[in-house]
Amino acid sequence: MTDALIVVALLLVAGAATAAVLNRDPVRQALVLSFLGLSLALLFTFLQAPDVALSQLAVGSAVTPLMILLTVRRVHRRPGDEPGEPDQSREHER
């Protein structure tokens, strides 16, 4: 029974990792990365490593995807989106 659960968890990890690599949209990659972190936490639980599973759950499925999403959001901002920053696009129109 335990071996079957480990095999299923390994298949989930392999599928999620493949999906993360093949996906081109950074937002979708972050979501798939979160699922990968969950499946790795599940695998570590089945392998009787609950401390590693909890760490993976916190970092791999929550913190890392959140930081990726925040970074993508920050990079996609245009000049003038920050409060107090002059809008340079309107200066070129004058």
Side-chain angles (χ1 to χ4, degrees), residues 60-85:
S61 62
V63 175
T64 303
L66 178 65
M67 292 192 60
I68 291 171
L69 289 174
L70 291 174
T71 303
V72 168
R73 181 178 174 205
R74 177 87 172 169
V75 168
H76 283 292
R77 286 188 179 170
R78 297 182 309 253
D81 285 349
E82 291 291 324
E85 185 178 307

Side-chain angles (χ1 to χ4, degrees), residues 2-84:
T2 306
D3 291 337
L5 291 175
I6 292 172
V7 169
V8 169
L10 282 171
L11 290 173
L12 281 173
V13 168
T18 304
V21 169
L22 295 178
N23 213 329
R24 291 289 178 206
D25 181 30
V27 174
R28 288 184 183 177
Q29 280 180 340
L31 294 174
V32 173
L33 186 64
S34 180
F35 180 72
L36 176 60
L38 286 172
S39 58
L40 278 169
L42 188 66
L43 176 64
F44 292 140
T45 303
F46 292 151
L47 293 174
Q48 298 178 359
D51 52 341
V52 179
L54 285 173
S55 298
Q56 178 62 34
L57 191 61
V59 174
S61 62
V63 175
T64 303
L66 178 65
M67 292 192 60
I68 291 171
L69 289 174
L70 291 174
T71 303
V72 168
R73 181 178 174 205
R74 177 87 172 169
V75 168
H76 283 292
R77 286 188 179 170
R78 297 182 309 253
D81 285 349
E82 291 291 324

